[in-house]
Amino acid sequence: MVADHRQAARKIVRAKAMLVMDGAPPVAARTHDIGTGGVSVTVDEGLSLGARGRIMFEIFIDGKGNMIEGQVGVTYSILSHDGYSVGLQFFNLELGVANAIAKYMR
């Protein structure tokens, strides 16, 4: 049994994302859900726990697109039925990005 250690509320968000881990080429990802502290995604190959990088994807608030881009760190990487489910914690988000996520969460 896997325990859910997330500290904040989550909201479903389905979007195509680009994940660029430090020292690695960009990889396509699909988002599952988001919270003020992080985002979960699916990727084709597993990622190392603690690895750092950047993520980019778009969320829609009141019909307008908002680009989410920020530094992330891997908190888990688990093999699932359609790839690897990866938890990413946000680090040092720009204020505008943090505000957009908070608004999306309402």
Side-chain angles (χ1 to χ4, degrees):
M1 178 185 269
V2 176
D4 188 348
H5 298 288
R6 295 179 282 198
Q7 301 296 314
R10 308 292 277 194
K11 188 170 181 181
I12 292 173
V13 61
R14 303 282 191 227
K16 292 180 182 179
M18 184 62 61
L19 187 59
V20 184
M21 301 309 290
D22 293 348
V27 295
R30 295 175 310 282
T31 63
H32 289 267
D33 61 27
I34 191 170
T36 56
V39 61
S40 66
V41 300
T42 298
V43 294
D44 290 336
E45 298 196 20
L47 300 174
S48 299
L49 187 65
R52 295 283 188 112
R54 294 190 68 76
I55 192 165
M56 292 143 278
F57 60 97
E58 188 174 29
I59 59 176
F60 289 86
I61 303 168
D62 299 328
K64 295 173 112 178
N66 292 265
M67 186 55 67
I68 303 299
E69 181 175 350
Q71 296 178 8
V72 292
V74 177
T75 58
Y76 66 84
S77 182
I78 303 168
L79 181 61
S80 67
H81 66 282
D82 59 348
Y84 284 82
S85 180
V86 177
L88 301 169
Q89 179 180 1
F90 292 128
F91 291 99
N92 305 319
L93 283 180
E94 292 180 10
L95 184 58
V97 172
N99 287 341
I101 293 170
K103 189 172 182 180
Y104 181 80
M105 295 298 296
R106 292 187 209 138

